[in-house]
Amino acid sequence: MESSGDYILETRNLTKEFKGFVAVSDVNLRVKRGTIHALIGPNGAGKTTVFNLLTRFLPVTGGAIFYRGHDITHEKPAQVARRGIVRSFQISAVFPHLTVLENVRIALQRRLGTSFHFWKSERTLEVLNDQAHELLEAVGLREFADYVTVELPYGRKRALEIATTLAMDPELMLLDEPTQGMGHEDVDRVKELIKKVAANRTVLMVEHNMHVVSDISDVITVLARGSVLAEGSYGEVSGRPEVIEAYLGTAHA
Amino acid sequence: MKRIAMGWVALVIAGLIAPFLVYPVFVMKVLCFALFACAFNLLLGYTGLLSFGHAAFLGSAGYIAGHTIKVLGFPPELGILAGTATAAVLGYVFGSLAIRRSGIYFAMITLALAQMVFFLALQMPFTGGEDGLQGVPRGMLFGVIDLRETMNMYYFVFAVFMIGFWIIYRAVHSPFGQVLKAIRENEPRAISLGYAVDKYKLLAFVLSAALSGLAGATKTLVFQLASLTDVHWHMSGEVVLMTLLGGMGTVFGPVVGAAVVMTLQNYGAEIGEWVTVLTGAIFVVCVLAFRRGIVGELAALFPVRKP
């Protein structure tokens, strides 16, 4: 396995075309190991499409994606997940009719290698309960372990989603608008949570909340109309006139 | 958990005493269809896949069991195994093709394949075409138990049902079952957690097909007959009806659904063709007003308290 220096994820001229409409065009993204990297841009800039390309939920029409030096451009989504790139979704991705504990355990159980064993009791999964409880503890959900997930309020579901993603122990976490639709308190809690979990891994996130972006991200890439408009720290990026025009215009005018 | 245990006890007791209260052949028929519906529920209720071709597994297993027993002289247990294995192989073929699509396309592919099986059953000489494969001898189970005795036959069918039911129960409550439920609940999320979901769906499909085959093969032995009725698409629809009526995604729902539908058909036969209208009406009421089915609604009435 090649350790290609500082960058855990790299795209070269990444392009996605939908029947004549170019959603993502020649994007060269480099995510540095151990950083929180934010992907921002106005609606329709192609942020979620980039996520879907990186996690292989959409086929690429041009360019290449490298993860730790491996070309993963044509791998399957589940395969990419097993390599250590785990994503969250814009709309909260939980398993609503499983319990909170079971949600986390689903992510843990693949490692046992018994996921095709239909003749075994699910009690064999209970060896994972301690670990699952720890993960729930980390996101403040310990006392909700036995709830059916559908009963949780929205902010808690997002926290559960992060716990489930963490259970995969991903090297690279892709968070698609982790604070979307949350109240102030929840936003701060999730922000702290992301900061905490990013301590020993890399995070790439799409985020609209500028407080979250400015507080915790190391590098920001601004996308507009499918292309990279600017890149740098919050201070560098937010001062650029083209960025202000394309995106921050209303907020900083 | 306690409620499930009570359900098991009730099921065993009911199964043991039923032939003394009701016409045993009727109970055997109910048990075969109950197993069929439970196998179907593994796919619909626990994986979220609606197959509209399950008659192919029920029917073809029936033909193979009938043929191997009647013509090749297989003992009953081997004939049933042969039927079950055939259904499993057929399930693998159907499943491999159908799981590439989802929703209505999945249902349509399974329907189309099942129609092909129906056509084969109509045309191939060994099935007896319109007449069916008649006069299958029940024979001696393991060479010692005379299945011509109705009570012997009954307890054998009950044992087959319990084994099949237990396999389904275990599969649903296994590590594999957890993944199936995750796929049913949120497929993209299951993929993002590293699960190659198609493989899980395929295994669920094969299990469901094999157990449907077990039901079909056993049914052939009960009635000493394999006929086109069991491969006809009506049968694929009927199993959907039984599962929804009883409660999809519940352990005991399909058993209750099968019992209700069979009772209606059997004892409603006096009103002739109108029984179809009656079943249809009940189905519509069920889907409109009691969407969780009989068992699902009962479970919702008496919820298990969470801490």
Side-chain angles (χ1 to χ4, degrees):
Chain A
M1 209 173 276
E2 183 200 358
S3 75
S4 71
D6 292 345
Y7 296 101
I8 187 163
L9 185 80
E10 223 179 319
T11 69
R12 288 186 201 147
N13 305 101
L14 190 64
T15 300
K16 177 68 190 176
E17 232 178 286
F18 293 104
K19 300 225 165 118
F21 167 71
V22 184
V24 174
S25 146
D26 276 331
V27 168
N28 293 300
L29 192 67
R30 295 209 291 178
V31 180
K32 208 169 180 182
R33 203 181 286 271
T35 57
I36 298 180
H37 193 130
L39 200 56
I40 66 171
N43 286 327
K47 304 178 298 286
T48 296
T49 308
V50 167
F51 259 41
N52 284 332
L53 294 173
L54 294 178
T55 48
R56 311 297 314 109
F57 276 69
L58 277 177
V60 169
T61 41
I65 307 164
F66 295 88
Y67 173 65
R68 295 163 66 188
H70 292 272
D71 186 345
I72 59 160
T73 319
H74 300 290
E75 288 193 349
K76 291 211 169 93
Q79 206 175 354
V80 169
R82 290 195 292 270
R83 276 195 186 276
I85 306 181
V86 182
R87 69 173 295 178
S88 72
F89 294 81
Q90 215 172 75
I91 301 158
S92 112
V94 290
F95 303 114
H97 296 100
L98 300 183
T99 67
V100 169
L101 183 78
E102 283 172 326
N103 261 270
V104 178
R105 225 169 51 181
I106 288 282
L108 294 171
Q109 82 169 70
R110 205 172 42 76
R111 264 180 262 154
L112 292 180
T114 60
S115 288
F116 282 107
H117 294 191
F118 61 84
W119 56 88
K120 276 198 181 131
S121 168
E122 62 190 349
R123 295 219 180 104
T124 57
L125 298 174
E126 283 170 11
V127 296
L128 301 169
N129 283 7
D130 286 346
Q131 211 183 338
H133 279 297
E134 267 169 44
L135 285 157
L136 290 176
E137 176 91 64
V139 298
L141 285 178
R142 183 159 199 147
E143 65 271 33
F144 296 96
D146 293 324
Y147 277 60
V148 179
T149 306
V150 72
E151 294 167 1
L152 291 186
Y154 185 76
R156 302 270 186 202
K157 278 186 196 148
R158 301 298 319 230
L160 173 60
E161 195 186 330
I162 292 175
T164 308
T165 307
L166 282 176
M168 296 284 288
D169 196 18
E171 267 201 86
L172 175 60
M173 254 173 114
L174 271 62
L175 304 176
D176 198 353
E177 301 197 26
T179 67
Q180 190 210 32
M182 282 185 187
H184 283 302
E185 255 176 61
D186 282 340
V187 168
D188 282 339
R189 209 177 51 229
V190 169
K191 188 182 79 183
E192 291 309 316
L193 189 59
I194 294 170
K195 212 167 146 183
K196 192 165 107 191
V197 303
N200 44 7
R201 50 176 57 87
T202 314
V203 173
L204 175 64
M205 63 174 183
V206 168
E207 182 55 58
H208 276 303
N209 188 320
M210 279 309 132
H211 295 291
V212 176
V213 172
S214 61
D215 280 0
I216 63 172
S217 41
D218 302 297
V219 187
I220 295 163
T221 299
V222 186
L223 277 187
R225 295 202 191 118
S227 311
V228 176
L229 195 64
E231 193 172 278
S233 68
Y234 184 77
E236 290 162 8
V237 167
S238 60
R240 300 263 200 95
E242 69 269 29
V243 173
I244 295 171
E245 195 192 322
Y247 183 60
L248 302 171
T250 47
H252 286 236
Chain B
M1 218 51 208
K2 273 193 188 137
R3 208 157 58 181
I4 296 279
M6 272 160 56
W8 276 94
V9 172
L11 188 66
V12 171
I13 293 175
L16 289 175
I17 62 169
F20 299 102
L21 306 174
V22 194
Y23 182 48
V25 176
F26 172 69
V27 188
M28 287 191 254
K29 188 177 174 186
V30 169
L31 286 174
C32 290
F33 279 108
L35 179 56
F36 182 36
C38 287
F40 180 77
N41 187 40
L42 176 63
L43 213 50
L44 179 64
Y46 291 101
T47 321
L49 294 173
L50 171 61
S51 157
F52 210 73
H54 258 51
F57 311 125
L58 183 83
S60 59
Y63 279 121
I64 295 299
H67 182 74
T68 53
I69 292 169
K70 184 185 173 187
V71 181
L72 305 181
F74 277 29
E77 64 278 8
L78 274 187
I80 287 177
L81 276 182
T84 307
T86 307
V89 172
L90 204 57
Y92 183 80
V93 176
F94 275 39
S96 309
L97 293 167
I99 53 168
R100 290 155 196 259
R101 292 289 175 271
S102 55
I104 189 74
Y105 301 101
F106 177 89
M108 287 301 116
I109 293 170
T110 52
L111 174 62
L113 291 168
Q115 286 304 93
M116 288 160 69
V117 171
F118 176 80
F119 180 75
L120 284 176
L122 187 61
Q123 296 298 322
M124 295 213 309
F126 88 93
T127 62
E130 303 264 5
D131 299 331
L133 203 160
Q134 299 180 7
V136 179
R138 283 182 181 173
M140 305 286 277
L141 181 67
F142 304 118
V144 286
I145 303 166
D146 189 352
L147 292 180
R148 283 169 301 182
E149 287 288 327
T150 305
M151 278 305 171
N152 288 351
M153 187 69 211
Y154 174 80
Y155 286 108
F156 172 60
V157 172
F158 183 55
V160 167
F161 168 79
M162 287 310 290
I163 292 168
F165 187 73
W166 186 82
I167 293 174
I168 293 163
Y169 179 83
R170 177 33 62 90
V172 166
H173 298 93
S174 70
F176 174 66
Q178 282 287 314
V179 180
L180 290 189
K181 283 177 238 175
I183 294 171
R184 175 193 71 187
E185 297 278 300
N186 193 334
E187 189 171 336
R189 183 53 166 168
I191 296 172
S192 82
L193 295 180
Y195 291 103
V197 294
D198 282 358
K199 289 183 187 161
Y200 292 85
K201 288 184 188 173
L202 183 58
L203 179 55
F205 201 99
V206 171
L207 278 175
S208 173
L211 291 161
S212 301
L214 179 63
T218 311
K219 182 170 172 285
T220 293
L221 207 60
V222 173
F223 291 97
Q224 305 186 270
L225 164 80
S227 73
L228 285 175
T229 320
D230 287 355
V231 271
H232 197 271
W233 64 266
H234 273 169
M235 191 56 78
S236 299
E238 208 146 85
V239 75
V240 180
L241 174 70
M242 290 174 193
T243 309
L244 289 183
L245 197 60
M248 71 166 179
T250 63
V251 175
F252 298 101
V255 181
V256 175
V260 170
V261 172
M262 285 299 125
T263 308
L264 276 173
Q265 289 187 352
N266 230 52
Y267 295 97
E270 295 146 34
I271 57 169
E273 286 296 305
W274 285 96
V275 73
T276 322
V277 178
L278 182 64
T279 349
I282 291 177
F283 183 64
V284 171
V285 169
C286 175
V287 170
L288 288 179
F290 313 104
R291 251 191 301 182
R292 286 175 281 217
I294 298 167
V295 172
E297 291 293 341
L298 284 176
L301 272 182
F302 308 102
V304 180
R305 288 310 319 155
K306 286 280 169 200

